[in-house]
């Protein structure tokens, strides 16, 4: 790989100061993951920059999480963006929360995890109001949803044409059981909206953790790129969750090898340029 990597999706976790309820159900990841750990995980790669994505700490700690990462950015110039949590289901009342986030120049977008909610959660009137508000703050919306929720997410997208949506992990298709439908059709429908982008991330943890191979991932990756094109896809490591089924380096090399027939120009878009364009990252950003 003759160009640097911009990672559109990784997390840092500080168990000393923040609480992550999901870690109790995932003993393998039940620890802090700090910048020093990231350095070790990527030491053989040229990780030039990355976007921090909220790590599902307690909701009332979400502003503190964003401020912590903004402070880290003053010491680590690779942090160019933050995707923070916001309780969008509060509707117009979420404006105060978004106003606080806007005070941090590195916050580029918001994520409200949908995959643990009912399928129609994102179609509540108040939730749609909250998502529409993001446009006023020039924030993107990261969509973390299940394949079964894609039809509802498409309806949400249709009602919010002024918001840029970023689909996390191809919506977590069932790679382990090699299930392609109706995921293929539903992904194609949502990709038809020009304000939706897609992260090529999180796939090896949807496969059999111990026995997956690159051929298991290939039909999902190629379908996503075929639907979105190389202009609307971004590499994401999903670190440290990726460790459940491999490593940061293993995932990078797997994806790069699967797309070895692609042009270097397209690979640069995927691994580096598109994250900058999508999140409007800026050179020389500071934390606050």
């Amino acid at each position: 790989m003759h160009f640097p990597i911009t990672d559109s999706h990784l997390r840092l976790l500080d168990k000393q100061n923040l609480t992550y309820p999901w870690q109790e159900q995932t003993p393998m990841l039940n620890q802090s993951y700090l910048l020093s750990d990231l350095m070790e995980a990527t030491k053989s790669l040229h990780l030039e920059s990355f976007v921090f994505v909220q790590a599902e700490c307690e909701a009332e700690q979400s502003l503190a999480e964003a401020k912590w990462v903004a402070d880290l950015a003053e010491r680590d110039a690779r942090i160019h963006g933050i995707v923070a949590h916001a309780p969008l289901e509060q509707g117009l009342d979420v404006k105060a929360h978004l106003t606080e986030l806007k005070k941090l120049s590195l916050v580029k977008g918001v994520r409200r995890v949908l995959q643990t909610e009912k399928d129609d959660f994102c179609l509540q009137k108040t939730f749609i109001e909250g998502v529409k508000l993001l446009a006023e703050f020039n924030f993107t919306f990261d969509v973390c949803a299940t394949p079964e929720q894609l039809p509802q997410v498409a309806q949400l997208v249709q009602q919010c044409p002024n918001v840029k949506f970023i689909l996390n992990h191809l919506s977590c298709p069932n790679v382990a059981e090699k299930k392609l439908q109706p995921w293929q059709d539903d992904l194609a429908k949502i990709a038809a909206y020009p304000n939706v982008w897609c992260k090529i991330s999180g796939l090896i943890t949807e496969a059999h953790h111990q026995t997956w191979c690159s051929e298991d991932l290939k039909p999902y990756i190629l379908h996503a790129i075929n639907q979105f094109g190389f202009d609307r896809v971004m590499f994401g490591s999903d670190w440290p969750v990726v460790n459940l089924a491999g490593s940061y380096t293993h995932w990078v090399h797997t994806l790069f090898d699967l797309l070895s027939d692609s042009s270097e120009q397209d690979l640069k878009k995927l691994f580096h340029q598109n994250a900058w364009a999508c999140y409007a990252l800026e050179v020389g950003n500071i934390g606050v």
Side-chain angles (χ1 to χ4, degrees):
M1 190 180 296
H2 306 296
F3 47 84
I5 293 172
T6 296
D7 189 341
S8 70
H9 198 103
L10 67 75
R11 305 173 192 85
L12 301 164
L13 296 97
D14 179 12
K15 279 182 67 72
Q16 286 192 331
N17 297 296
L18 299 169
T19 304
Y20 308 92
W22 60 270
Q23 283 191 317
E24 298 300 323
Q25 285 76 49
T26 317
M28 185 177 170
L29 300 178
N30 194 6
Q31 65 183 71
S32 291
Y33 288 89
L34 305 173
L35 286 170
S36 56
D37 302 300
L38 179 63
M39 289 286 287
E40 178 64 23
T42 60
K43 61 185 179 183
S44 65
L45 302 168
H46 183 189
L47 178 61
E48 179 198 71
S49 47
F50 64 84
V51 176
F52 167 87
V53 176
Q54 61 91 214
E56 285 295 273
C57 62
E58 294 282 6
E60 62 269 19
Q61 297 177 335
S62 59
L63 284 173
E65 179 186 52
K67 290 175 181 177
W68 169 58
V69 178
D71 288 341
L72 289 179
E74 296 182 350
R75 293 187 278 120
D76 192 323
R78 295 174 303 171
I79 305 174
H80 282 271
I82 296 171
V83 176
H85 169 85
L88 298 175
E89 64 273 24
Q90 293 179 2
L92 299 180
D93 290 340
V94 77
K95 193 165 189 174
H97 188 99
L98 299 179
T99 299
E100 287 301 306
L101 289 176
K102 193 65 178 178
K103 294 177 182 178
L104 303 170
S105 65
L106 281 183
V107 175
K108 302 298 181 181
V110 158
R111 185 169 85 149
R112 171 64 172 87
V113 172
L114 301 178
Q115 63 183 11
T116 55
E117 306 292 346
K118 293 181 180 179
D119 290 352
D120 61 354
F121 178 85
C122 68
L123 295 179
Q124 301 174 83
K125 180 183 176 182
T126 52
F127 191 87
I128 295 170
E129 289 175 347
V131 173
K132 286 182 175 179
L133 264 181
L134 296 178
E136 293 184 23
F137 293 83
N138 201 26
F139 286 159
T140 60
F141 181 49
D142 266 58
V143 181
C144 187
T146 66
E148 293 74 23
Q149 293 170 328
L150 276 177
Q152 289 78 21
V153 173
Q155 292 180 58
L156 171 67
V157 170
Q158 186 178 34
Q159 296 181 67
C160 305
N162 296 323
V163 177
K164 184 183 292 181
F165 291 82
I166 302 162
L167 190 63
N168 293 179
H169 318 322
L170 288 71
S171 81
C172 306
N174 190 342
V175 180
E177 296 181 10
K178 300 183 179 180
K179 187 175 181 181
L180 288 168
Q181 289 293 2
W183 172 82
Q184 281 183 322
D185 290 344
D186 290 335
L187 192 82
K189 290 174 183 175
I190 201 166
Y193 292 96
N195 56 324
V196 182
W197 296 54
C198 184
K199 291 181 180 179
I200 309 297
S201 59
L203 278 186
I204 67 173
T205 49
E206 299 300 329
H208 288 293
H209 290 184
Q210 306 304 323
T211 60
W212 67 270
C213 65
S214 60
E215 286 301 310
D216 297 334
L217 314 178
K218 190 173 183 177
Y220 300 93
I221 293 170
L222 294 185
H223 180 65
I225 292 175
N226 184 53
Q227 297 304 314
F228 285 92
F230 271 103
D231 287 333
R232 286 190 290 143
V233 290
M234 295 175 283
F235 162 76
S237 68
D238 198 28
W239 186 85
V241 178
V242 69
N243 293 343
L244 291 172
S247 68
Y248 197 122
T249 303
H250 191 183
W251 167 232
V252 168
H253 289 304
T254 297
L255 182 56
F256 188 76
D257 290 346
L258 277 172
L259 299 175
S260 59
D261 291 337
S262 304
S263 69
E264 183 163 319
Q265 180 182 11
D266 284 340
L267 290 173
K268 282 182 178 178
K269 290 179 181 179
L270 171 67
F271 280 99
H272 182 58
Q273 296 168 352
N274 286 351
W276 287 76
C278 182
Y279 284 115
L281 306 182
E282 299 174 18
V283 177
N285 249 329
I286 58 173
V288 293

